[in-house]
Amino acid sequence: MGKYFGTDGVRGIANVELDVMLAFKIGAAAAYLLQREHGRSGKAKLLIGKDTRISSDMLESALVAGICSVGADVELLGIIPTPAVAYLTIRHKADAGIVISASHNSYEYNGIKIFAGSGYKLSDELEAQIEALIDDFDSVPKASHEKLGRVLPHKIDPVVEYTDHLAGTIPGDLSGLRVAVDCANGASSTTISRLLRQVECQSDIRFREPDGLNINNGCGSTHLGHLKERVRRGDFDLGIAFDGDADRCLIVDETGEELDGDRIMAVCAARMQREGKLRGGAFVATVLSNMGLHAYAKQKHMRIECSNVGDRYVLEKMLENGYILGGEQSGHVIFLEYATTGDGQLTALQFMRILKESGRKCSEIAAEVVPWPQVMINVAVPNSEKYSLAERPEVAEAIREAEGQLGEGRILVRPSGTEALVRVMVEGKDAGRVDTAAKEIAAAIERIAG
């Protein structure tokens, strides 16, 4: 981890940890480096998209000021999903795309993540260079006179271009399906209605009235209760929930049971394997992925490559080995044939296409993947201590004792890359032992964190 950048950009409480001065410096440093890297004699162009948080306008203004201060131009996309920024950066040959979002976090948080002109997130090396310039900001050359940057007039209709692209990733339409949708009062509020009309899918869309404070508040992919109940009571084939920036998607079957990213990816991988599209007969999951996913892949003669947790690490493993499918339990799924980053709406379309063509119920196709019991406990700790706590002797001893009682299974304790949390994951065949082991390890961490 860098000083400012985590696994998914810079993130923190808006105007406390991520304030306007830091945003200004990020914009200026990134634009200066990208302009210098490409050896441009003219001005670089950056695109900026944002989610619906109250702080997004403030941080957007600071980023724009920083970018223009070093002589680069900006085009504003408004409220739009994160993957749309990546797609439009490529389509319009911009030097970079910047997203203002804290994804699944509550409204008081915000974040800044940057895509290079390739549509991929910035490399660790380039992020380190940006951090160095932030700490030595006087060394960043400032533009003046006619070399100052501008906010460019709109040439892009982001909703139309992005939803047209997504609709083109499936053959035919999705007529006959009825889906309940939860937009998390986030960025998908601007796109999902048009997209589902394009593919002729009947829908009931809720939580699409953002007020700056209600993003992810009791809704979205991290709070599935409302969606589960709505699907159970209504005549729906499935339910779909996005997070605040719509780069992830979770699904609820017609009985109200959750399908996490592992199960969604398994269904999609098996279909791609049958169609001869699963390159190398393999896909990428993370070290957190359920052992039930591994068992299913083996049964279907597919291989799984495991990466560290974080969609950037999933993508690195995919590019390294030439794979075109990868993802996480959280619902970040990357279809590299169509996108350079996780895309919740793309994932939903690919899954619904499989569901329609199968002629089966959602619960039936998901039942083929049988997950092992798994418990995840998030322990709140000081941000400065989250990387060291897992190495403390008291925690190591608690893990050893839990392993002895667990039997067949595994334990993973790791710091969150985006929040002040240590995550305790325990998985095994005995649900009771799994639950006990997770609680005992979490209690040990809480005692130390105090």
Side-chain angles (χ1 to χ4, degrees), residues 81-201:
T82 285
V85 177
Y87 169 72
L88 294 168
T89 297
I90 301 169
R91 178 177 172 86
H92 291 275
K93 298 181 172 61
D95 293 277
I98 300 179
V99 180
I100 305 166
S101 174
S103 189
H104 61 284
N105 294 146
S106 51
Y107 83 92
E108 68 270 22
Y109 290 88
N110 217 324
I112 295 171
K113 47 190 165 187
I114 308 174
F115 293 101
S118 61
Y120 297 118
K121 291 178 182 177
L122 293 186
S123 66
D124 291 341
E125 293 76 16
L126 199 51
E127 287 183 349
Q129 291 178 51
I130 292 173
E131 291 189 342
L133 286 177
I134 290 171
D135 287 337
D136 183 24
F137 197 66
D138 288 342
S139 67
V140 179
K142 310 303 187 295
S144 65
H145 295 80
E146 76 283 358
K147 292 185 178 179
L148 286 167
R150 296 174 181 269
V151 178
L152 301 174
H154 289 289
K155 294 183 179 178
I156 300 171
D157 187 328
V159 171
V160 170
E161 291 191 17
Y162 173 60
T163 55
D164 282 353
H165 162 65
L166 291 183
T169 66
I170 61 169
D173 58 51
L174 298 177
S175 58
L177 288 183
R178 187 164 185 254
V179 59
V181 181
D182 182 338
C183 291
N185 291 313
S188 63
S189 303
T190 64
T191 55
I192 190 63
S193 181
R194 184 178 192 272
L195 175 61
L196 292 179
R197 286 199 305 271
Q198 284 177 281
V199 297
E200 300 178 31
C201 180

Side-chain angles (χ1 to χ4, degrees), residues 132-340:
L133 286 177
I134 290 171
D135 287 337
D136 183 24
F137 197 66
D138 288 342
S139 67
V140 179
K142 310 303 187 295
S144 65
H145 295 80
E146 76 283 358
K147 292 185 178 179
L148 286 167
R150 296 174 181 269
V151 178
L152 301 174
H154 289 289
K155 294 183 179 178
I156 300 171
D157 187 328
V159 171
V160 170
E161 291 191 17
Y162 173 60
T163 55
D164 282 353
H165 162 65
L166 291 183
T169 66
I170 61 169
D173 58 51
L174 298 177
S175 58
L177 288 183
R178 187 164 185 254
V179 59
V181 181
D182 182 338
C183 291
N185 291 313
S188 63
S189 303
T190 64
T191 55
I192 190 63
S193 181
R194 184 178 192 272
L195 175 61
L196 292 179
R197 286 199 305 271
Q198 284 177 281
V199 297
E200 300 178 31
C201 180
Q202 187 179 355
S203 62
D204 177 36
I205 305 171
R206 306 275 180 91
F207 297 105
R208 56 169 171 172
E209 298 178 347
D211 63 8
L213 306 180
N214 61 3
I215 188 170
N216 301 314
N217 184 13
C219 56
S221 62
T222 51
H223 302 89
L224 293 175
H226 287 288
L227 182 64
K228 289 180 177 181
E229 186 62 24
R230 185 153 51 109
V231 171
R232 288 191 193 104
R233 290 184 176 183
D235 184 23
F236 294 102
D237 296 293
L238 75 164
I240 293 168
F242 304 112
D243 63 339
D245 68 337
D247 66 351
R248 67 172 74 177
C249 160
L250 292 182
I251 291 173
V252 172
D253 71 20
E254 80 284 354
T255 71
E257 182 179 349
E258 174 185 343
L259 278 63
D260 66 10
D262 279 354
R263 299 176 79 183
I264 295 168
M265 188 164 50
V267 169
C268 293
R271 177 56 181 262
M272 292 169 71
Q273 176 85 321
R274 291 196 297 272
E275 294 177 341
K277 293 182 177 180
L278 192 67
R279 290 184 194 166
F283 58 98
V284 177
T286 75
V287 293
L288 286 183
S289 289
N290 195 282
M291 295 306 296
L293 174 66
H294 290 262
Y296 176 79
K298 184 176 181 180
Q299 174 192 343
K300 295 293 184 179
H301 307 291
M302 300 182 293
R303 292 183 300 106
I304 295 178
E305 296 271 357
C306 283
S307 74
N308 290 331
V309 178
D311 60 335
R312 70 182 300 144
Y313 302 117
V314 171
L315 179 60
E316 284 176 5
K317 183 74 73 172
M318 292 171 68
L319 294 174
E320 178 185 323
N321 294 285
Y323 303 139
I324 61 170
L325 178 67
E328 302 182 278
Q329 275 186 326
S330 61
H332 285 116
V333 181
I334 303 172
F335 293 87
L336 206 53
E337 183 179 0
Y338 306 115
T340 56

Side-chain angles (χ1 to χ4, degrees), residues 401-423:
E401 290 181 3
E403 285 174 337
Q405 300 169 9
L406 183 61
E408 189 174 0
R410 61 182 180 138
I411 296 170
L412 185 63
V413 178
R414 67 177 189 89
S416 167
T418 58
E419 300 174 78
L421 300 171
V422 171
R423 304 193 194 277

